[in-house]
C-alpha cells in the first residue's frame, strides 16, 4: 500500500542502530532516498558496502561507536536483534526525544513493549522486514532478495513511507499489524531453528521428514496465533512453504548466520514468542517448545 504523504522537502539525518544485515540494507535505502545516515555500531568498520545483484552500493554513512555527544533526530531505525535491545538504551537515550519516531525493525510480536521503556518520550513504530540479507563481514552486507517493510497504517507509517520514497524499499501499510506480525513469525518458526540446529542451509528442507516437521511447527504456531486474535490459518501455512520455494538451496536464515558467527540465537523472540503466547492462552505448543529447548542448549562455540 503506497503512502500519499509528501516526501520530505530536504534531506534528513537518520540514525540506524545496528550494523548487521537489516541495518545495512536500510542504511543503503536511506542514502538512496537522499538522507544523511548515522550508523551506530559496536564493532568499527571503514565503509558500509551492500552487495546486490546489480552490483555493489557503497553507502557514505557516518560510522559511530559511542552515543556520547549525539543529539536527538527525527527518525531512529532500530535493527539489532531483539535479544540485544536492552544494550541499545544509551543510543536511544541520546537519539530519541519527544519528536522522534523509533522504527523497530525486529522479529517477534511485541515490538512496542520491548522498546518503549528505553525511549519513553518517542513514538514507537513496529516494522517487519521482508528482506533476505546476510552480513558477510564487518561493513559488508549481501542482499539476496526481498525489499519491503510492513508497518501499521497511520500517520507514522505514512511518514516512514515518505522518508524512504526513492530508496528502493516498499513500505506497506497494514491495517491489521497483529496478523502481519504473526504471518512473519510463521515464516521463521521452522526455517530459523531447523537450519541453525542442523547447521545446514535451505537444502535441509529437501528431506521429506524435515519438511514434514517444519510444516507441523508452522501449523502449530498458526493455531497459537489464531487463538491470540491473528487472522491466520491453513492458507498461511501453505503460503510459508510457497515462499520458501523462492530460496535457493544455498540460502540460509538469520539464526543460522548468527550461529555460524558464534553469536547468540534469537530463539526467544521466535519460538519463544509462540510458547509464551501458548502458555498464556492455554494452547498446546509442544513442537515449538522442543525447538526452543534445543536452541537454548546450543553453545556459542559449537558451530
Amino acid at each position: 500500500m503506497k503512502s500519499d504523504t509528501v516526501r520530505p522537502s530536504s534531506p534528513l539525518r537518520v540514525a540506524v542502530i545496528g550494523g548487521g544485515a537489516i541495518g545495512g540494507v536500510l542504511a543503503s535505502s536511506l542514502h538512496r532516498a537522499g538522507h544523511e545516515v548515522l550508523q551506530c555500531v559496536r564493532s568499527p568498520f571503514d565503509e558500509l558496502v551492500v552487495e546486490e545483484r546489480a552490483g555493489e552500493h557503497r553507502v557514505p554513512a557516518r560510522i559511530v561507536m559511542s552515543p556520547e555527544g549525539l543529539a536527538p533526530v527525527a527518525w531512529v531505525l532500530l535493527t539489532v536483534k531483539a535479544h540485544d535491545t536492552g544494550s541499545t538504551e544509551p543510543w536511544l537515550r541520546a537519539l530519541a526525544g519527544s519528536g522522534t519516531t523509533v522504527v523497530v525493525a525486529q522479529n517477534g510480536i511485541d515490538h512496542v513493549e520491548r522498546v518503549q521503556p528505553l525511549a519513553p518520550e518517542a513514538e514507537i513504530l513496529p516494522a517487519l522486514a521482508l528482506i533476505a540479507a546476510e552480513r558477510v563481514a564487518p561493513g559488508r552486507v549481501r542482499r539476496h532478495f526481498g525489499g519491503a517493510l510492513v508497518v501499521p497504517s497511520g500517520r507514522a507509517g505514512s511518514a516512514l513511507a515518505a522518508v524512504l520514497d526513492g530508496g528502493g524499499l516498499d513500505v506497506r501499510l497494514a491495517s491489521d499489524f497483529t496478523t502481519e506480525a504473526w504471518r512473519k513469525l510463521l515464516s521463521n518458526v521452522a526455517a530459523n531453528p531447523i537450519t541453525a540446529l542442523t547447521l545446514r542451509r535451505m537444502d535441509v528442507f529437501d528431506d521429506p521428514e524435515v519438511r514434514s516437521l517444519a510444516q507441523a511447527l508452522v501449523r502449530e504456531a498458526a493455531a497459537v496465533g489464531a487463538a491470540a486474535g491473528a487472522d491466520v490459518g491453513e492458507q498461511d501455512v501453505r503460503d510459508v512453504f510457497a515462499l520458501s520455494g523462492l530460496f535457493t538451496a544455498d540460502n540460509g536464515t538469520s539464526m543460522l548466520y548468527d550461529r555460524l558467527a558464534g553469536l547468540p540465537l534469537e530463539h526467544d523472540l521466535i519460538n519463544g514468542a509462540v510458547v509464551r503466547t501458548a502458555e498464556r492462552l492455554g494452547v498446546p505448543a509442544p513442537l515449538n517448545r522442543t525447538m526452543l529447548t534445543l536452541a537454548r542448549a546450543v553453545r556459542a562455540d559449537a558451530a
Side-chain angles (χ1 to χ4, degrees):
M1 179 177 180
K2 292 195 175 291
S3 165
D4 57 3
T5 301
V6 177
R7 185 177 181 179
S9 58
S10 59
L12 300 174
R13 190 163 179 256
V14 182
V16 177
I17 301 177
I22 299 303
V25 172
L26 293 182
S28 173
S29 179
L30 286 163
H31 174 248
R32 284 178 163 139
H35 304 300
E36 177 188 351
V37 180
L38 188 70
Q39 192 99 33
C40 307
V41 300
R42 289 180 297 191
S43 301
F45 51 84
D46 295 329
E47 182 184 34
L48 173 62
V49 180
V50 179
E51 302 174 8
E52 300 175 328
R53 292 176 183 175
E56 292 185 348
H57 180 215
R58 298 182 180 276
V59 184
R62 176 187 167 197
I63 311 300
V64 293
M65 293 183 59
S66 170
E68 186 176 351
L70 296 179
V73 295
W75 290 90
V76 174
L77 275 59
L78 182 62
T79 69
V80 302
K81 293 298 176 67
H83 53 253
D84 287 330
T85 301
S87 69
T88 67
E89 184 173 7
W91 293 105
L92 291 170
R93 195 164 52 239
L95 293 165
S98 59
T100 303
T101 300
V102 178
V103 181
V104 184
Q106 294 179 332
N107 283 323
I109 54 176
D110 56 353
H111 303 68
V112 176
E113 293 82 355
R114 275 200 302 274
V115 178
Q116 191 73 77
L118 308 181
E121 296 183 5
E123 180 171 4
I124 309 300
L125 181 67
L128 309 171
L130 307 184
I131 300 165
E134 175 183 3
R135 178 182 179 270
V136 294
R140 181 168 287 268
V141 171
R142 182 172 298 143
R143 180 175 172 181
H144 296 293
F145 66 88
L149 282 179
V150 179
V151 297
S153 57
R155 184 207 58 80
S158 294
L160 178 65
V163 167
L164 287 171
D165 186 33
L169 283 181
D170 178 25
V171 178
R172 303 176 188 171
L173 307 182
S175 58
D176 182 358
F177 186 78
T178 296
T179 292
E180 295 300 328
W182 273 94
R183 285 175 177 160
K184 173 72 185 297
L185 191 63
L186 295 185
S187 72
N188 288 326
V189 294
N192 272 274
I194 288 174
T195 55
L197 291 169
T198 61
L199 290 174
R200 289 178 60 181
R201 296 190 176 231
M202 296 301 286
D203 67 292
V204 71
F205 296 103
D206 293 337
D207 183 315
E209 291 185 337
V210 174
R211 190 171 181 86
S212 178
L213 170 61
Q215 289 171 334
L217 273 163
V218 176
R219 189 168 287 114
E220 178 182 273
V224 175
D231 185 15
V232 293
E234 188 60 31
Q235 182 58 52
D236 296 289
V237 176
R238 290 193 290 269
D239 288 346
V240 166
F241 291 92
L243 176 65
S244 69
L246 299 175
F247 287 81
T248 60
D250 62 348
N251 281 145
T253 66
S254 60
M255 196 181 287
L256 171 64
Y257 300 145
D258 283 346
R259 187 176 180 196
L260 292 173
L263 298 173
L265 303 185
E266 206 175 12
H267 45 73
D268 276 324
L269 275 299
I270 296 177
N271 301 94
V274 176
V275 170
R276 285 190 297 276
T277 305
E279 289 175 342
R280 176 170 59 84
L281 299 175
V283 178
L287 294 176
N288 278 272
R289 185 180 297 278
T290 298
M291 290 294 108
L292 178 62
T293 299
L294 290 174
R296 283 175 172 167
V298 169
R299 295 200 325 249
D301 61 350

